[in-house]
């Protein structure tokens, strides 16, 4: 017997047996049918709808929970990375400051050394230039003196060749003889 | 042929000059110098002869002047050379060279007296240090 046929039979019986409960307005068969029907519906719902939904919800809940955990972990990781980044930034800033200070010190030292060397070179060049100038001055003086003396000698020689006669030469020789005697 | 030293040649010349005329002695010396291939050292041989003569008390001197010398001046120069040479006898030869301009140059066996005007002019034309 199908369920529908059973239900129709029950309705028929209930109608034919109207008396006791029927007097109270209650049809126990219909009630029973309703109860059974409800139980079946409940079982069907539980079997085919409630469990998958619960299972789906549970899976979703677990997934959400995992996501939340992952998010927490990511947040924690992010916080850790942020802290590490901040620490590294601070360390890098300190290192940069130290390098800049060292660079300034080194550049200052190099500048001082370069200035000192530059001064030394300038002094050396100046001394060399003065020396060269003095040498050139001496050379010019010597050349000029030599040229002047040569000119004087040539002029004197020319004059003496013309003007120095026998008498004057005799006087010169007498003076020379006296000079040799006394020397 | 035996090669003679300059000193030996000088002594031989002096020995020969005592018995022979100066012309003969000079020719003999020239021949010896040519044979010994010492012609380029004739001045050294002449100086050696002068030194040998100086040892014998004879001073040889060559006097160069630019002009003729008076008797007085010649006498003064010879007195001076005799004193300088330290010898008793002086044998002086005289020559003229206009290049010395004035004064005189006397060449002695031991040294030379340069009192020429040319030499004086050369000395004054040498530059002094600055």
């Amino acid at each position: 017997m199908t369920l529908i046929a059973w239900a129709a039979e029950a309705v028929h019986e209930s109608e034919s047996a109207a008396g006791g409960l029927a007097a109270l307005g209650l049809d126990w068969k219909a009630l029973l049918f309703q109860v059974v029907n409800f139980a079946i519906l409940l079982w069907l719902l539980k079997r085919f709808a409630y469990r998958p939904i619960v299972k789906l919800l549970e899976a979703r809940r677990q997934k959400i929970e995992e996501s939340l955990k992952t998010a927490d972990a990511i947040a924690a990781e992010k916080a850790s990375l942020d802290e590490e980044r901040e620490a590294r930034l601070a360390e890098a800033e300190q290192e940069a400051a130290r390098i800049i200070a060292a660079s300034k010190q080194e550049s200052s030292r190099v500048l001082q050394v370069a200035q000192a060397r530059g001064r030394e070179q300038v002094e050396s060049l100046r001394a060399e230039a003065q020396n060269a100038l003095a040498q050139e001055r001496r050379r010019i003086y010597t050349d000029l003196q030599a040229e002047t003396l040569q000119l004087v000698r040539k002029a004197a020689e020319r004059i003496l060749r013309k003007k120095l006669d026998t008498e004057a030469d005799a006087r010169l020789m007498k003076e020379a003889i006296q000079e040799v005697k006394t020397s | 042929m035996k090669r003679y030293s300059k000193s030996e040649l000088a002594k031989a010349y002096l020995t020969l000059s005592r018995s022979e005329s100066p012309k003969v002695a000079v020719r003999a010396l020239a021949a010896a110098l040519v044979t010994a291939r010492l012609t380029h050292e004739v001045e050294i041989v002449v100086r050696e002869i002068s030194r040998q003569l100086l040892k014998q008390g004879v001073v040889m001197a060559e006097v160069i002047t630019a002009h003729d010398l008076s008797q007085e001046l010649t006498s003064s120069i010879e007195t001076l050379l005799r004193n300088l040479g330290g010898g008793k006898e002086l044998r002086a030869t005289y020559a003229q060279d206009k290049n010395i301009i004035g004064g005189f140059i006397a060449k002695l066996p031991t040294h030379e007296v340069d009192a020429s005007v040319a030499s004086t002019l050369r000395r004054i034309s040498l530059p002094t240090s600055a």
Side-chain angles (χ1 to χ4, degrees):
Chain A
M1 181 185 289
T2 65
L3 193 61
I4 296 300
W6 184 77
E9 185 64 28
V11 170
H12 176 74
E13 284 178 1
S14 67
E15 283 177 353
S16 60
L21 287 173
L24 293 172
L26 291 172
D27 186 356
W28 64 275
K29 287 182 182 176
L31 184 63
L32 183 62
F33 173 75
Q34 291 289 338
V35 169
V36 170
N37 209 12
F38 181 74
I40 290 167
L41 181 65
L42 197 65
W43 179 82
L44 285 172
L45 283 172
K46 188 178 178 183
R47 179 73 175 82
F48 296 106
Y50 180 69
R51 277 186 182 173
I53 288 169
V54 168
K55 195 175 176 180
L56 189 69
L57 288 174
E58 180 63 23
R60 192 169 184 84
R61 188 190 63 76
Q62 284 180 356
K63 195 172 179 179
I64 289 167
E65 194 175 329
E66 282 175 7
S67 297
L68 287 172
K69 281 180 183 174
T70 305
D72 287 344
I74 288 169
E77 181 89 6
K78 182 177 175 298
S80 172
L81 287 172
D82 285 346
E83 281 180 11
E84 190 178 347
R85 184 174 57 84
E86 290 296 329
R88 286 190 180 177
L89 273 175
E91 191 180 339
E93 282 179 3
Q94 284 180 355
E95 183 68 15
R98 190 186 64 73
I99 289 169
I100 287 168
S103 298
K104 280 182 181 173
Q105 199 174 356
E106 180 64 15
S107 62
S108 174
R109 193 187 64 78
V110 167
L111 186 65
Q112 284 177 352
V113 170
Q115 283 175 340
R117 281 184 186 168
R119 276 196 295 272
E120 282 176 9
Q121 283 180 345
V122 166
E123 286 299 321
S124 174
L125 286 172
R126 189 162 56 191
E128 279 179 19
Q130 283 179 343
N131 195 22
L133 193 66
Q135 281 183 352
E136 184 64 13
R137 193 182 293 151
R138 275 197 297 273
R139 192 188 63 75
I140 290 169
Y141 176 80
T142 307
D143 290 351
L144 195 64
Q145 189 187 30
E147 282 180 27
T148 307
L149 287 173
Q150 285 291 333
L151 287 172
V152 168
R153 186 183 68 77
K154 283 179 181 174
E157 193 177 318
R158 200 174 297 126
I159 292 166
L160 285 170
R161 279 185 194 282
K162 284 182 183 174
K163 301 288 181 184
L164 191 68
D165 55 10
T166 307
E167 286 181 12
D169 193 17
R171 281 198 300 275
L172 272 178
M173 279 193 267
K174 282 177 185 172
E175 285 173 12
I177 290 165
Q178 287 302 319
E179 201 174 312
V180 173
K181 277 182 182 174
T182 52
S183 64
Chain B
M1 187 180 176
K2 187 184 174 187
R3 286 173 65 89
Y4 295 100
S5 69
K6 291 181 276 290
S7 176
E8 286 171 333
L9 286 173
K11 283 177 185 173
Y13 169 79
L14 290 173
T15 306
L16 195 63
S17 66
R18 279 191 211 108
S19 56
E20 301 292 334
S21 65
K23 192 175 179 182
V24 172
V26 168
R27 279 188 177 177
L29 176 64
L33 287 171
V34 170
T35 306
R37 294 180 180 174
L38 288 171
T39 49
H40 59 286
E41 294 183 351
V42 64
E43 284 196 15
I44 301 172
V45 173
V46 170
R47 276 205 295 275
E48 184 60 30
I49 291 168
S50 298
R51 269 197 290 271
Q52 294 291 336
L53 281 171
L54 189 62
K55 282 181 187 174
Q56 296 169 14
V58 180
V59 179
M60 282 187 73
E62 182 187 4
V63 180
I64 301 167
T65 58
H67 301 97
D68 292 332
L69 291 173
S70 64
Q71 188 62 41
E72 181 196 356
L73 208 50
T74 305
S75 176
S76 297
I77 289 174
E78 286 185 353
T79 305
L80 174 72
L81 296 180
R82 205 172 284 117
N83 291 335
L84 290 173
K88 294 174 184 174
E89 187 186 341
L90 178 71
R91 289 185 194 172
T93 56
Y94 292 88
Q96 275 196 12
D97 184 358
K98 293 287 181 188
N99 287 323
I100 71 167
I101 302 169
F104 68 94
I105 298 171
K107 293 179 180 177
L108 294 163
T110 50
H111 61 280
E112 183 178 297
V113 178
D114 190 348
S116 67
V117 172
S119 171
T120 307
L121 288 173
R122 272 197 303 276
R123 278 197 298 275
I124 64 165
S125 68
L126 291 173
T128 55
S129 58

